Each structure stands twice: as structure tokens, then as C-alpha cells.
């Protein structure tokens, strides 16, 4: 967004008039509007505001869930009135807009990095003196997160969160700029946030259409946007997702203008809903806000939830067919073979079940067959359909780790699929010292991994 021209603006008059547009004082009526009228730089801005007001009235005739346009979602620093409640949600801020209250956006998450309950969120807002009738201007990011300084991630996240719990969107604004822009306009800041008397924030309704569920992502006719970095996207993503990293919608810490955003979203259509995800709602919210600003029906999802709902996967290594050739070997190339297999129906579970935080991977079924379906649950006749790995083999990788007698890794060997369940890789042992080497296999599906430790011994003579 283009920054306002502040050079000739009467800052002191503006500050004195920061109040409702027609607020009476002991003197004649003085308002932000009358002060701006004195300066021709803001005539055009006022005309635009009048047009926006008419558009807002017209928008009430559409459905409640119809996305709004950018003009009603952003507010320039010079348009913020005293009657507005500025909510700074930064983590690690050293100064605040004059009169701003503060809630660290991290307080909306619990210790497991999951959103708190609606009642807890409402209590946080109420304790900060915020009520559903307030017009809230949001600002802030995470100053302790180097990748977060490229935009107001905290502000877009809380915008989405407050909209989700039913705050009137006409009373929600994102500050088009940050504290530095505020100071550049000659407006005051303070070293500590303002403290308002606590009140009760009563949730009006839950706008469930703003938060996608796992079932919705898997079964609805939607477009999926992965807003994580390209590297993270390459390591695994939801099938069919389009990668639009969150830094593509911002420039110099602010959202790009509409013409640029149209180019960014050129691969999407407004005829279908869009689900945008990152690891958490926090990072996904930036792209979500830009999408909604451009008129898309957008909702947020998280990669963490996708991983949490992946079906349990179990597999075992065939110890007879898993081998190295030659073995024993002289220094030189050594081929390593890893063969996986499907446990027989009714066989005892031979590997640990994936725990809740998905730090392990357990596989049931031939994970490399073409095609193969992996089911959740136990080995019973009542299996639930799950993830078809055979159709997305790029998400299944196998790597051999070669360790010396002291436990140090001497080689990491990428394994390539050569037949149904067999992966082969070549260890260049030309410079290997004589001795015994153990080989472990690391299998990864999406971002989940399991290691088969000490699966093979190779002897170099």
C-alpha cells in the first residue's frame, strides 16, 4: 500500500481532533473530519471514505459470509480516531501507539501451541477492556521471530480470530502501517501499553466457515494454498496444494496493493473456496487476510492438524532381503538394499504406534507398492480408508545412514525405489577404513519419520 503524504499535515490539530467524527466539545464542533477538510491533501481521502461508507451499506444486503474488500479492512495511520480502540498484539514490542492496549498474540495459544477455547479467548479480550461494540484497530507482529518482521502477522491472526468468534467485521480494521509509520506521521507513542478497565466480552456467534476442518480439506471441492516457505513445501505438503509463501503478499512490511496481489493469486479462482494453511494459524493468517481482502472465500487450516490426522502407518523391514553387496567388501562402491513388507493379516503389531505429537512414524501396509492404501486403526476387518501412498510416492523417502564402530555417521545414502518394496542406494566406501559398519534406515512420509536402527552390518576388509 502506498504510504500517506504526511509532510504538510497539521499533526497537532489532528491529535486534538482524534475523536468521533462529530464530537462536541466546550468550543464549537471540532472533529477529525473538520480538521482534515482544512488540508487539501486529505480531500481525496475523504471522498474515498464516503464511497467506502456507501459500499459498506450496500454490502449489508449481501450474505453474511460474503468476503469484504480491502477498503473496509485497512485503515491508514492518519484515519485512526480517539474513539477507536487500538489493540497491539506484538510479542517483544518496545513501544506502543499512544492509547493502545496490549495482548501478546501468543496468549491466544495454550502450552501445546493450540488455540485456546472460545471462552478463554473472550476472557482475554474482556480483561483487556475490549467489548464487541468497540471498533478495534489491530497492529503488531512478533519482534522475536526474524521471519515475522516482513508483515503484521500478529495483527492479521487476531483479526481472523476476532472475526471467527463473531466480532462485527465493520468494527475490525488492520492498521496499514506499523509503529514506525505512526511515528513518521508525527503521532505519539509510549513505552508501555494503556490499561483499560476490564469488561465482559460476550461472544455473539462462531463463524465456523472461517476455520477449515480436516474432513473439509480432504472431501470438499476447494483450492488449497500452502503459505509456508518453498523449502518447507518441498519437504511435504497437502496433496494438490499450491505454494504461495506468506512473504509473497507483503512488501516492506506492508500488504501489497491489489494489482500486485492479483498477480500473486493468478493461479486461483474465486469460483471455489480457498483453504490456506501454514504450521499454525499465525503464519497462515497473512495470506488469508490478503485473500479475503481480494474477495476470495478463504478459510484457515494448519499443517499441524493435517499431520495430527494422518492415518497411523505401520511397516517392517524384511531382514532377509535387506542386504549389502558385496559384503564383506573391499574399499569401493557398496550397494545397499532395503526391502519393506506388509505384516500378514492378524499378525501382531510389530512397531510402535504414532504418538500424539507425531514424532514417530508407524506404517501398516506396503508403503511402496503401486498403489497401496494405508489404513488407520488396528489390523481388523473394520478398516477405515486412509492415505494412498502409492499415488504420492514423492512423499515417501528412504535414506541409509552408515555409522562407524564409534557411532559416528560416515555417510548418508539416498535410496531409490527400484521395484515394489525395494529401495537401493550406493555407498562410496572408497576411503572407508577397515572395520564393521552399521546401517540404519530412515523412512519419511510427509514430515513424519521412523528409523530402523542397526538394520544391517557391512564389513570393510
Amino acid at each position: 500500500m502506498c504510504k500517506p503524504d504526511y509532510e504538510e499535515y497539521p499533526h497537532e490539530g489532528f491529535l486534538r481532533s482524534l475523536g468521533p467524527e462529530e464530537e462536541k466539545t466546550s468550543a464549537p464542533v471540532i472533529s477529525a473530519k473538520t480538521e482534515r477538510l482544512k488540508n487539501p491533501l486529505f480531500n481525496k481521502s475523504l471522498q474515498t471514505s464516503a464511497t467506502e461508507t456507501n459500499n459498506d451499506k450496500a454490502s449489508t444486503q449481501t450474505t453474511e459470509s460474503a468476503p469484504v474488500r480491502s477498503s473496509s479492512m485497512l485503515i491508514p495511520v492518519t484515519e485512526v480516531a480517539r474513539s477507536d480502540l487500538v489493540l497491539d498484539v506484538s510479542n517483544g514490542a518496545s513501544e506502543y501507539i499512544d492509547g493502545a492496549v496490549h495482548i501478546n498474540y501468543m496468549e491466544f495459544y495454550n502450552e501445546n501451541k493450540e488455540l485456546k477455547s472460545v471462552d478463554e479467548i473472550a476472557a482475554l479480550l474482556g480483561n483487556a477492556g475490549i467489548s464487541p461494540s468497540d471498533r478495534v484497530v489491530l497492529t503488531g507482529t512478533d519482534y522475536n521471530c526474524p521471519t515475522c518482521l516482513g508483515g503484521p502477522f500478529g495483527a492479521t491472526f487476531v483479526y481472523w480470530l476476532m472475526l471467527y468468534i463473531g466480532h462485527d467485521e465493520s468494527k475490525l480494521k488492520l492498521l496499514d502501517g506499523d509503529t514506525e509509520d505512526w511515528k513518521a506521521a508525527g503521532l505519539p507513542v509510549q513505552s508501555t501499553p494503556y490499561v483499560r478497565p476490564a469488561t465482559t466480552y460476550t461472544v455473539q456467534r462462531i463463524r465456523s466457515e472461517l476455520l477449515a476442518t480436516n474432513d473439509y480439506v480432504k472431501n470438499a471441492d476447494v483450492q488449497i494454498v500452502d503459505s509456508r516457505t518453498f523449502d518447507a513445501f518441498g519437504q511435504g505438503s497437502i496433496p494438490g496444494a499450491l505454494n504461495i509463501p506468506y512473504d509473497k503478499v507483503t512488501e516492506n512490511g506492508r500488504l501489497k496493493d491489489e494489482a500486485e496481489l492479483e498477480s500473486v493469486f493468478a493461479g486461483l479462482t474465486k469460483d471455489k473456496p480457498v483453504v490456506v494453511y501454514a504450521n499454525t494459524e499465525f503464519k497462515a493468517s497473512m495470506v488469508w487476510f490478503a485473500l479475503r481482502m481480494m474477495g476470495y472465500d478463504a478459510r484457515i487450516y494448519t499443517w499441524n492438524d493435517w499431520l495430527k490426522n494422518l492415518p497411523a502407518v505401520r511397516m517392517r523391514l524384511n531382514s532377509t532381503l535387506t542386504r549389502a553387496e558385496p559384503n564383506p567388501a573391499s574399499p569401493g562402491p557398496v550397494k545397499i538394499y532395503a526391502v519393506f513388507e506388509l505384516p500378514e493379516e492378524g499378525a501382531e503389531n510389530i512397531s510402535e504406534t504414532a504418538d500424539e505429537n507425531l514424532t514417530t512414524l508407524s506404517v501398516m501396509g506396503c508403503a511402496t507398492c503401486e498403489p497401496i492404501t494405508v489404513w488407520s486403526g488396528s489390523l481388523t476387518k473394520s478398516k477405515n480408508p486412509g492415505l494412498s501412498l502409492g499415488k504420492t510416492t514423492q512423499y515417501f523417502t528412504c535414506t541409509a545412514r552408515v555409522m562407524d564402530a564409534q557411532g559416528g555417521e560416515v555417510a548418508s545414502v539416498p535410496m531409490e525405489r527400484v521395484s515394489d518394496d525395494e529401495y537401493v542406494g550406493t555407498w562410496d566406501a572408497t576411503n572407508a577404513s577397515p572395520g564393521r559398519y552399521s546401517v540404519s534406515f530412515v523412512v519419511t512420509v510427509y514430515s513424519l519419520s521412523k528409523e530402523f536402527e542397526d538394520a544391517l552390518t557391512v564389513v570393510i576388509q
Side-chain angles (χ1 to χ4, degrees):
M1 299 298 172
C2 296
K3 296 185 178 180
D5 185 354
Y6 304 121
E7 275 69 25
E8 300 178 32
Y9 190 69
H11 307 304
E12 293 182 3
F14 174 72
L15 289 174
R16 285 198 302 269
S17 67
L18 282 176
E21 289 295 336
E22 300 297 340
E23 179 182 354
K24 290 188 177 181
T25 65
S26 56
V29 173
I30 183 170
S31 68
K33 181 183 292 183
T34 55
E35 284 298 315
R36 289 194 295 268
L37 280 171
K38 296 177 183 178
N39 192 308
L41 289 174
F42 283 84
N43 286 340
K44 183 177 179 181
S45 175
L46 287 173
Q47 292 168 3
T48 303
S49 298
T51 302
E52 292 169 5
T53 301
N54 292 333
N55 290 341
D56 288 344
K57 291 179 180 178
S59 67
T60 60
Q61 300 172 8
T62 62
T63 59
E64 283 188 328
S65 60
V68 295
R69 301 297 297 174
S70 60
S71 57
S72 62
M73 295 172 68
L74 294 169
I75 183 169
V77 293
T78 52
E79 296 289 330
V80 179
R82 267 299 171 196
S83 57
D84 292 333
L85 190 156
V86 179
L87 172 57
D88 189 319
V89 295
S90 296
N91 177 41
S94 59
E95 55 187 5
Y96 304 86
I97 287 173
D98 185 38
V101 298
H102 177 246
I103 304 176
N104 189 322
Y105 80 89
M106 297 176 67
E107 293 186 46
F108 293 107
Y109 286 101
N110 61 25
E111 61 276 6
N112 298 320
K113 296 185 179 180
E114 298 172 335
L115 287 176
K116 290 183 176 179
S117 69
V118 171
D119 288 344
E120 290 174 309
I121 292 169
L124 282 169
L125 294 171
N127 289 338
I130 303 171
S131 73
S133 62
D134 287 317
R135 189 172 95 143
V136 179
V137 176
L138 289 153
T139 185
T141 189
D142 193 330
Y143 291 99
N144 296 325
C145 167
T147 62
C148 302
L149 300 181
F153 290 96
T156 54
F157 163 60
V158 178
Y159 185 107
W160 168 81
L161 186 60
M162 292 185 68
L163 190 61
Y164 175 72
I165 65 171
H167 202 92
D168 185 346
E169 191 160 17
S170 68
K171 295 179 179 179
L172 278 178
K173 305 292 176 184
L174 180 75
L175 188 67
D176 189 17
D178 56 18
T179 307
E180 293 303 314
D181 295 304
W182 184 268
K183 291 194 296 184
L187 303 175
V189 295
Q190 53 194 41
S191 59
T192 57
Y194 181 70
V195 178
R196 290 168 61 99
T199 187
T200 299
Y201 190 97
T202 303
V203 175
Q204 306 299 313
R205 64 189 179 104
I206 299 298
R207 300 190 63 169
S208 57
E209 75 275 10
L210 297 176
L211 179 62
T213 63
N214 182 262
D215 181 69
Y216 180 83
V217 172
K218 290 191 295 186
N219 299 312
D221 184 18
V222 297
Q223 304 165 98
I224 302 175
V225 171
D226 186 324
S227 64
R228 299 173 301 157
T229 63
F230 178 77
D231 287 344
F233 175 76
Q235 293 173 14
S237 63
I238 297 175
L242 174 69
N243 185 218
I244 304 179
Y246 43 77
D247 61 0
K248 296 300 182 184
V249 302
T250 61
E251 187 172 9
N252 298 324
R254 303 169 81 168
L255 284 161
K256 291 182 176 179
D257 62 34
E258 293 191 10
E260 292 175 301
L261 289 176
E262 281 195 13
S263 176
V264 172
F265 299 143
L268 301 172
T269 174
K270 295 181 182 179
D271 296 334
K272 290 183 181 180
V274 181
V275 172
V276 56
Y277 73 92
N279 287 340
T280 64
E281 298 86 356
F282 173 71
K283 281 290 182 71
S285 68
M286 182 67 71
V287 177
W288 170 87
F289 188 93
L291 283 165
R292 187 170 181 84
M293 195 170 82
M294 293 298 293
Y296 289 85
D297 175 9
R299 56 198 72 194
I300 283 181
Y301 187 58
T302 68
W303 177 243
N304 288 342
D305 189 75
W306 176 260
L307 294 181
K308 182 178 179 180
N309 283 281
L310 280 178
V313 185
R314 296 183 179 86
M315 69 185 308
R316 68 182 178 189
L317 198 64
N318 185 313
S319 59
T320 302
L321 298 179
T322 297
R323 63 200 186 278
E325 295 179 354
N327 190 17
S330 300
V334 177
K335 281 192 174 295
I336 299 174
Y337 298 80
V339 181
F340 303 98
E341 65 182 4
L342 166 69
E344 295 180 2
E345 188 71 29
E348 184 178 353
N349 181 19
I350 45 76
S351 93
E352 61 271 283
T353 302
D355 61 20
E356 289 186 0
N357 63 12
L358 299 173
T359 55
T360 62
L361 170 69
S362 22
V363 178
M364 172 171 42
C366 164
T368 58
C369 299
E370 183 64 35
I372 199 69
T373 299
V374 182
W375 290 279
S376 60
S378 59
L379 289 166
T380 67
K381 294 183 179 180
S382 59
K383 295 172 180 174
N384 296 319
L387 175 67
S388 177
L389 292 180
K391 297 179 181 178
T392 55
T393 54
Q394 67 269 33
Y395 299 117
F396 182 96
T397 63
C398 179
T399 303
R401 299 177 65 228
V402 183
M403 318 292 287
D404 60 22
Q406 288 72 42
E409 181 175 315
V410 298
S412 178
V413 182
M415 306 288 284
E416 295 185 2
R417 182 185 179 196
V418 295
S419 64
D420 286 346
D421 298 334
E422 188 173 35
Y423 279 71
V424 178
T426 301
W427 170 33
D428 183 1
T430 302
N431 299 318
S433 302
R436 299 173 67 86
Y437 294 82
S438 65
V439 180
S440 299
F441 296 99
V442 179
V443 173
T444 300
V445 181
Y446 292 96
S447 292
L448 312 180
S449 63
K450 176 177 176 59
E451 183 169 4
F452 296 88
E453 297 181 351
D454 302 323
L456 180 66
T457 298
V458 179
V459 177
I460 301 296
Q461 298 178 329

